[in-house]
Amino acid sequence: MSAASIRQFTCRSDNFGVLLHDAEGGVTLSIDAPEEGPIVAALEREGWRLTHILTTHHHNDHVAANEALKARFGAEIVGPAGERAKIPGLDRAVRGGETIRIGSLDVHVIDTPGHTAGEVSYHVPAAGALFAADTLFSLGCGRLFEGDAATMWASLRRLRALPDETMLYCGHEYTATNARFAVDVDPGNLLLQERVKEVEALRVRGEATLPVPLGREKRTNPFLRADDPDLQAAFGMAGEDPVSVFAALREKRNGY
Ligand code: ZN
Ligand code: FE
């Protein structure tokens, strides 16, 4: 671990704002920019100055404050090349597979299309953090607005390949609803039941259910387990093609 610090807070109604501060390199990154007020307030609380915005995808609840924060701080906006025209204020277009250096941090860009056609996730190994926005949620995954099941499943497998100890940060606090669905399709999973109890307790206290170690998600999130024989059996699709299992899970979740 480096000297990276992370702060997570609520924006809008159920979006997360996340700031990543690298003292050594003298930079502060905002993961997406859902809302100006709470981001500015968090920066002021910490005494940090915003230098970069890492945009994951073009949806308004992730880029709404791009222009305002750029005007206020002169922050550089980094975002996916595939959504270049749709991201307000974009300065630097990046592609999956690229590693960019910001301050003393290496930021790995991972292509994760499916929710939107050009969505990317950001992995910062020195901070032990993955910023997966609306691709991967705790116990869930994003809706397929601009991609099919095969595309999203490939994206999730790319994220699943990261180390277990990586802390997963997401775009939204959707975990409680996702948890009800997960238990419904995978009722015998004891690790999932443990996580659900924890989620309930956190929500009662008004606390966030994220971040969560990716290793825990690999064992509890049905959308990361479409190729797992135990999940397939629980869901009544033993031995079927993972893409079909994933598609059926996503379809069922849409109507949940
Ligand atoms: Zn979105
Ligand atoms: Fe969103």
Side-chain angles (χ1 to χ4, degrees):
M1 297 289 152
S2 70
S5 316
I6 298 181
R7 296 291 180 273
Q8 177 187 261
F9 46 93
T10 301
C11 288
R12 307 170 79 95
S13 59
D14 55 29
N15 278 81
F16 283 116
V18 177
L19 294 175
L20 172 59
H21 177 70
D22 162 35
E24 194 186 324
V27 293
T28 301
L29 292 63
S30 178
I31 313 306
D32 285 328
E35 187 181 8
E36 184 183 14
I39 295 172
V40 171
L43 287 163
E44 283 174 355
R45 257 189 326 266
E46 303 297 336
W48 296 344
R49 183 182 171 79
L50 188 69
T51 56
H52 297 78
I53 296 172
L54 297 183
T55 301
T56 60
H57 67 295
H58 68 83
H59 284 162
N60 182 61
D61 62 311
H62 297 258
V63 301
N66 273 17
E67 301 278 21
L69 292 172
K70 188 172 176 171
R72 188 191 275 255
F73 298 106
E76 180 181 352
I77 302 180
V78 176
E83 299 185 355
R84 191 192 301 261
K86 295 178 176 170
I87 295 170
L90 186 73
D91 295 299
R92 178 171 183 184
V94 292
R95 295 175 189 281
E98 253 185 81
T99 297
I100 58 172
R101 184 87 175 168
I102 300 180
S104 73
L105 301 172
D106 279 335
V107 178
H108 296 191
V109 183
I110 305 172
D111 262 328
T112 49
H115 175 70
T116 65
E119 184 152 349
V120 296
S121 299
Y122 297 99
H123 177 221
V124 185
L130 167 65
F131 304 103
D134 292 3
T135 298
L136 175 61
F137 295 119
S138 181
L139 305 180
C141 76
R143 280 180 188 268
L144 307 182
F145 288 122
E146 300 175 12
D148 61 14
T151 302
M152 187 59 135
W153 173 241
S155 294
L156 293 175
R157 288 178 61 196
R158 233 166 269 139
L159 299 183
R160 192 177 69 171
L162 296 173
D164 281 3
E165 61 275 16
T166 309
M167 296 303 287
L168 169 67
Y169 289 83
C170 307
H172 295 267
E173 178 61 86
Y174 289 161
T175 318
T177 311
N178 289 340
R180 284 194 292 280
F181 174 79
V183 168
D184 197 13
V185 299
D186 190 16
N189 185 336
L190 298 179
L191 291 172
L192 172 59
Q193 288 163 23
E194 241 171 62
R195 171 69 171 147
V196 169
K197 282 202 192 91
E198 178 189 276
V199 166
E200 282 166 1
L202 286 166
R203 297 313 293 155
V204 164
R205 297 202 296 271
E207 292 174 25
T209 63
L210 291 152
V212 60
L214 190 59
R216 224 174 153 192
E217 285 297 310
K218 293 181 195 178
R219 292 165 188 89
T220 55
N221 187 331
F223 295 97
L224 290 179
R225 301 180 60 231
D227 55 354
D228 181 320
D230 292 340
L231 185 279
Q232 291 191 348
F235 190 48
M237 289 186 76
E240 298 211 35
D241 163 49
V243 172
S244 309
V245 177
F246 176 79
L249 284 165
R250 187 57 259 184
E251 190 60 35
K252 181 169 174 160
R253 177 65 177 82
N254 288 346
Y256 202 73

